[in-house]
Amino acid sequence: MEIKTPSVVALTWTLKDTLGEVLDTLDEPVEFFIGGQDLLPKIEEALQGHEKGAKVDLHLEPEDAFGDFDENLLFLEPLALFPEGLEPGLTIEGTALPEGCHPDAPRNVLYTVTEIYPEHVVLDGNHPLSGIALRLHLKVESVREPTEAEVGSGSCGTGFFKIEVGDENTLLSSPKGPTLH
């Protein structure tokens, strides 16, 4: 079967930056809905017309992947607002930011704690791969017709590239799908 919209494709891949550093490896096939919200548009576009066994190499500029780094999504917040045990690398949903955080901090973003100072914490609302050009080597493991439920939701539930935080979609990796290292 040929990949078309709508269909479900099972993929394996290796994701690297332009220097060749491996950022993510998906060794076991994971299914994604083509024509919905599971994959970035450039990836869906590149997969169209391919069949099981196809190998596709993509170069994605930041604007086609996770966007440019936005300094307006960096916030310095009082450490006292946060519970003890906060560590760099932890993530906080914008909807769960403590009262007293900057009122302009978007609530539909997932924040990563990047630095902790004696009195303050730095929160970064950018996707960890924002501002980075990516190289993606994909292998099509299988292609099938989608179920009615998948068509209705526009997803296979893996949502590697998008999650919902609050009421809006945000480009981030989903806890339901593969994770980035």
Side-chain angles (χ1 to χ4, degrees):
M1 179 179 164
E2 193 173 279
I3 298 171
K4 62 185 182 345
T5 302
S7 60
V8 172
V9 60
L11 301 172
T12 55
W13 66 53
T14 301
L15 177 66
K16 298 180 181 181
D17 63 17
T18 54
L19 298 176
E21 181 182 337
V22 175
L23 303 172
D24 186 57
T25 303
L26 184 58
D27 294 323
E28 295 297 320
V30 173
E31 289 189 331
F32 298 93
F33 182 81
I34 301 294
Q37 44 190 304
D38 287 352
L39 293 169
L40 295 168
K42 286 287 183 183
I43 296 173
E44 284 198 10
E45 183 181 309
L47 289 171
Q48 294 290 326
H50 288 283
E51 296 180 346
K52 179 181 176 177
K55 293 181 180 178
V56 179
D57 289 313
L58 289 171
H59 177 88
L60 299 171
E61 289 298 323
E63 60 269 17
D64 295 324
F66 298 98
D68 291 319
F69 187 84
D70 184 353
E71 290 182 9
N72 294 318
L73 290 176
L74 292 175
F75 293 91
L76 185 66
E77 302 292 346
L79 181 59
L81 296 176
F82 295 86
E84 285 188 38
L86 199 64
E87 295 178 9
L90 289 177
T91 57
I92 302 168
E93 288 187 17
T95 55
L97 287 177
E99 271 210 39
C101 283
H102 198 285
D104 292 339
R107 298 308 196 243
N108 65 326
V109 175
L110 187 66
Y111 291 93
T112 302
V113 175
T114 57
E115 296 183 61
I116 299 176
Y117 296 104
E119 300 292 323
H120 293 89
V121 60
V122 178
L123 300 178
D124 184 352
N126 288 286
H127 187 281
L129 297 178
S130 64
I132 299 174
L134 302 170
R135 292 189 178 156
L136 186 59
H137 174 74
L138 300 161
K139 183 175 181 200
V140 178
E141 301 293 342
S142 67
V143 184
R144 66 172 174 82
E145 293 290 333
T147 65
E148 282 185 38
E150 290 164 338
V151 171
S153 69
S155 176
C156 286
T158 48
F160 180 77
F161 290 110
K162 296 182 183 180
I163 64 167
E164 289 183 20
V165 176
D167 297 324
E168 301 179 33
N169 285 328
T170 307
L171 289 175
L172 297 164
S173 57
S174 168
K176 295 186 225 170
T179 56
L180 296 173
H181 309 177

